[in-house]
């Protein structure tokens, strides 16, 4: 029998929004058939115009709001609802924090894992927090422009205020954009893989004020490179680092492998947890320094470290977590796959005169297996993986090493819940509520800390 959806394209329906998806879309149901509606909040009653009907769900847009949520923020310009940079900007901040707590709970509930989730720890000023930006450079109406992509498209909307970036970064991007315009540089054209300038990446040390600018080019040759370098330095006095990164590939990955130093030094400094850190262009560094300190402090407290402990820090980046715990324990081992990040981590240990850490370049899953085979017996394992979470083999190796405790710092609650379930198969369970920390206000991303122990 042919299934017919209870809604049809281009028709309108009156619905009440019942939930938000992990992407922040409103969910309404007609005869149990879900409709995903952009820019609609829980509790709102709207007339929706159906834009697409699939087998199991439909998409709609808001045609008219009949009853508005008291959590709605007014006055958001169209450019910000069209792009994906601040997908929760229409939701008041306390409600954003509740949404994130709920998201974590939903992911655990889906897998039937008993978990309590605390209220999300938020920020006092949830704007202009990012210390790093990677801004695409494209041709818009014949003019080299900086901005962000329209959702689900490659069309760029020019923007000058990115709302969530350190304002020093917004200013620098405009200065560089204007200089590139002046020298008539060609913006990258994704479709034809032509043009020169792909992205402008800017990183700023929140406390040090040091700034790194990376001009990502498709071509090895950067026309007018000397003049551009001179003018950028003239207009951004005290710029610490100006780098050309060459990325000739047809890819969405921003940075290529080759860096050319145009002026200054190839790294910047910043302080975190009372320590000094050097950060180079290709290394990962947490983007929200204010919340990172809260996150790390929580991870450290929850690790309940003692002076005799041996700790593994898996996915150690430039060593921020390893070095933050080193003074409280006997020995730390860090593993990280990006070679430059490990070099940074080693330099950072030296700068901070920390001797009881050892960093290894390897895939965490392979190194963990090796450490386990070598008989390493960590007391505490801290993991801080990328969004895809942990490899199953890593979980097995960790369990085989039998640590007292695993502290899991996660940037994706779906993979966190999946991994917690796998840890459960080896006897490790959550021993306290999961604690979300809002590292990415105005966006749908959720960071959290969990602790697993053997029953
Ligand atoms: C979320 S970051 C955490 C970094 C660090 N703990 C911090 O807080 O700054 C994840 C790190 O894992 C690294 N990475 C990604 N896949 C990896 C793998 N298979 N093995 C080891 N490191 C990996 C990335 O390069 C990145 O530095």
């Amino acid at each position: 029998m042919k299934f017919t959806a209870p809604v049809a394209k281009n028709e309108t329906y009156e619905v009440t929004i019942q939930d938000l998806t992990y992407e922040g879309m409103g969910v309404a149901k007609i005869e149990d058939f879900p409709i995903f509606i952009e820019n609609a909040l829980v509790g709102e009653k709207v007339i929706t115009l159906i834009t697409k009907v699939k087998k199991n769900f439909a998409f709609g847009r808001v045609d008219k709001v009949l009853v508005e949520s008291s959590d709605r923020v007014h006055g958001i310009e169209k450019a910000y609802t069209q792009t994906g940079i601040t997908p929760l900007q229409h939701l008041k901040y306390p409600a954003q924090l509740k949404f994130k707590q709920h998201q974590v709970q939903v992911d655990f509930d889906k897998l039937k894992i008993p978990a309590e989730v605390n209220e999300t720890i938020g920020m006092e000023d949830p704007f202009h927090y990012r210390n790093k930006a990677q801004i695409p450079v494209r041709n818009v109406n014949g003019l080299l422009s900086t901005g962000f992509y329209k959702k689900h498209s490659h069309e760029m909307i020019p923007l000058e205020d990115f709302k969530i970036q350190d304002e020093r970064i917004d200013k620098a991007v405009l200065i560089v954009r204007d200089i590139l315009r002046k020298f008539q540089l060609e913006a990258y054209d994704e479709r034809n893989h032509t043009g020169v300038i792909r992205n402008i990446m800017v990183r700023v040390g929140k406390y040090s004020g040091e700034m790194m600018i990376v001009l990502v080019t498709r071509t090895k040759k950067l026309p007018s490179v000397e003049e551009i370098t001179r003018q950028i330095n003239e207009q951004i006095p005290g710029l610490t680092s100006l780098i050309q990164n060459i990325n000739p590939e047809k890819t969405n990955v921003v940075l290529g492998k080759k860096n050319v130093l145009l002026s200054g030094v190839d790294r910047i400094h910043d302080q975190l947890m009372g320590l000094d850190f050097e950060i180079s262009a290709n290394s990962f560094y947490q983007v929200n320094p204010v919340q990172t300190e809260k996150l790390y402090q929580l991870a450290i407290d929850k690790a309940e470290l003692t002076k005799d402990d041996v700790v593994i820090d898996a996915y150690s980046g430039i060593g921020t977590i390893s070095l933050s715990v080193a003074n409280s324990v006997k020995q730390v081992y860090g593993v990280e796959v990006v070679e430059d990040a490990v070099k940074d981590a080693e330099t950072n240990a030296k700068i901070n005169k920390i001797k009881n850490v050892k960093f290894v370049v390897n895939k965490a899953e392979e190194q963990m297996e090796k450490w386990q085979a070598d008989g390493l017996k960590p007391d505490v394992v801290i993991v801080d993986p990328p969004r895809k979470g942990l490899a199953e083999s890593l979980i097995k190796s960790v369990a085989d090493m039998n640590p007292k405790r695993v502290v899991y710092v996660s940037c994706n609650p779906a993979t966190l819940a999946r991994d917690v379930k796998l840890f459960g198969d080896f006897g490790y369970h959550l021993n306290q509520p999961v604690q979300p920390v809002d590292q990415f206000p105005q966006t749908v991303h959720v960071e959290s800390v969990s602790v697993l122990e053997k029953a």
Side-chain angles (χ1 to χ4, degrees):
M1 202 176 72
K2 197 171 177 290
F3 169 80
T4 34
V7 295
K9 192 174 165 172
N10 295 331
E11 292 292 321
T12 55
Y13 301 85
E14 185 180 313
V15 292
T16 301
I17 308 301
Q18 299 172 3
D19 201 0
L20 284 187
T21 66
Y22 73 96
E23 289 169 308
M25 288 182 108
V27 187
K29 284 187 178 162
I30 292 181
E31 293 169 28
D32 263 351
F33 189 81
I35 308 164
F36 300 115
I37 306 167
E38 203 135 338
N39 195 18
L41 296 177
V42 173
E44 290 188 329
K45 194 182 262 190
V46 303
I47 306 272
T48 181
L49 174 80
I50 302 297
T51 51
K52 197 185 255 182
V53 182
K54 303 281 231 183
K55 192 165 166 235
N56 296 320
F57 56 88
F59 290 104
R61 65 174 169 74
V62 176
D63 199 38
K64 191 170 179 202
V65 180
L66 303 174
V67 178
E68 195 180 79
S69 163
S70 56
D71 288 328
R72 179 168 286 280
V73 176
H74 291 282
I76 293 165
E77 291 162 47
K78 206 168 155 207
Y80 298 96
T81 29
Q82 285 178 327
T83 63
I85 53 170
T86 52
L88 286 189
Q89 214 188 323
H90 59 307
L91 186 61
K92 285 186 183 159
Y93 191 54
Q96 289 186 23
L97 298 177
K98 284 219 168 70
F99 162 79
K100 294 187 182 192
Q101 178 188 13
H102 174 69
Q103 274 316 303
V104 180
Q105 190 72 60
V106 165
D107 284 320
F108 278 98
D109 291 351
K110 259 189 216 158
L111 298 182
K112 300 194 172 53
I113 304 166
E116 205 183 313
V117 182
N118 281 345
E119 282 182 17
T120 312
I121 298 173
M123 296 187 80
E124 218 165 281
D125 174 11
F127 288 96
H128 301 294
Y129 56 85
R130 280 188 70 100
N131 59 11
K132 176 186 166 184
Q134 301 187 127
I135 307 297
V137 180
R138 299 290 178 271
N139 197 321
V140 179
N141 299 328
L143 199 59
L144 179 144
S145 303
T146 46
F148 215 75
Y149 299 111
K150 202 168 165 176
K151 266 181 237 167
H152 319 297
S153 90
H154 288 270
E155 188 190 330
M156 194 166 85
I157 300 185
L159 286 177
E160 298 200 345
D161 176 356
F162 285 81
K163 304 280 184 198
I164 53 174
Q165 288 163 196
D166 189 312
E167 282 157 304
R168 290 171 285 190
I169 297 181
D170 285 353
K171 253 196 201 155
V173 170
L174 292 184
I175 290 173
V176 174
R177 178 200 69 182
D178 290 346
I179 293 170
L180 296 175
R181 278 181 181 172
K182 188 165 148 194
F183 288 95
Q184 297 185 338
L185 260 86
E186 212 187 316
Y188 181 58
D189 174 339
E190 242 172 313
R191 195 171 313 149
N192 300 310
H193 195 51
T194 55
V196 178
I197 303 278
R198 298 174 73 125
N199 289 81
I200 301 170
M201 176 179 128
V202 186
R203 215 174 217 168
V204 67
K206 176 165 177 67
Y207 301 107
S208 67
E210 291 186 3
M211 182 180 279
M212 169 185 282
I213 298 181
V214 182
L215 305 174
V216 186
T217 62
R218 181 187 65 86
T219 49
K220 220 162 149 186
K221 184 172 157 61
L222 175 59
S224 312
V225 60
E226 274 145 33
E227 261 311 287
I228 288 173
T229 301
R230 197 174 61 73
Q231 295 213 359
I232 290 178
N233 277 285
E234 249 171 42
Q235 292 188 43
I236 307 177
L239 179 67
T240 308
S241 170
L242 180 62
I243 290 172
Q244 178 193 357
N245 173 276
I246 303 163
N247 185 357
E249 308 296 328
K250 230 179 162 175
T251 168
N252 288 334
V253 178
V254 174
L255 293 180
K257 292 202 179 87
K258 192 165 165 43
N259 289 323
V260 181
L261 183 65
L262 301 180
S263 67
V265 290
D266 63 354
R267 53 200 54 233
I268 60 166
H269 287 89
D270 200 18
Q271 286 86 38
L272 203 62
M273 307 296 289
L275 299 169
D276 282 322
F277 289 96
E278 275 197 14
I279 312 142
S280 57
N282 295 61
S283 298
F284 174 91
Y285 183 58
Q286 297 277 359
V287 297
N288 184 336
V290 171
Q291 292 299 88
T292 297
E293 292 200 322
K294 294 183 195 167
L295 181 78
Y296 283 2
Q297 194 54 55
L298 267 169
I300 293 168
D301 293 346
K302 286 175 183 291
E304 295 179 49
L305 303 167
T306 70
K307 275 279 172 209
D308 296 325
D309 279 348
V310 172
V311 175
I312 288 181
D313 173 19
Y315 309 88
S316 49
I318 62 166
T320 43
I321 294 181
S322 298
L323 298 173
S324 301
V325 301
N327 284 330
S328 315
V329 301
K330 190 161 98 190
Q331 178 71 39
V332 186
Y333 295 91
V335 55
E336 159 65 46
V337 77
V338 174
E339 201 177 335
D340 278 358
V342 171
K343 277 191 202 144
D344 287 352
E346 282 163 350
T347 309
N348 290 329
K350 277 196 200 112
I351 295 175
N352 292 290
K353 302 191 173 53
I354 293 175
K355 299 210 166 71
N356 58 339
V357 291
K358 186 173 175 351
F359 294 105
V360 183
V361 185
N362 200 353
K363 285 189 178 153
E365 51 276 31
E366 286 175 15
Q367 189 59 35
M368 210 61 90
E369 207 175 321
K370 185 168 182 307
W371 277 328
Q372 192 263 325
D374 292 349
L376 185 66
K377 293 265 173 254
D379 299 283
V380 176
V381 174
I382 303 174
V383 294
D384 183 8
R387 289 183 56 75
K388 70 175 182 196
L390 303 174
E392 213 173 322
S393 64
L394 179 141
I395 295 174
K396 183 177 183 313
S397 304
V398 170
D400 285 346
M401 288 192 279
N402 201 27
K404 285 188 287 207
R405 204 163 292 122
V406 177
V407 178
Y408 194 137
V409 180
S410 154
C411 55
N412 182 350
T415 52
L416 167 70
R418 180 201 67 196
D419 294 344
V420 166
K421 194 172 168 70
L422 289 170
F423 267 115
D425 297 343
F426 295 99
Y428 282 86
H429 300 282
L430 292 173
N431 76 339
Q432 53 184 281
V434 177
Q435 179 61 64
V437 180
D438 194 17
Q439 293 278 94
F440 313 102
Q442 318 307 330
T443 80
V444 292
H445 294 293
V446 190
E447 189 96 12
S448 62
V449 185
S450 308
V451 182
L452 297 138
E453 277 184 4
K454 273 195 172 162

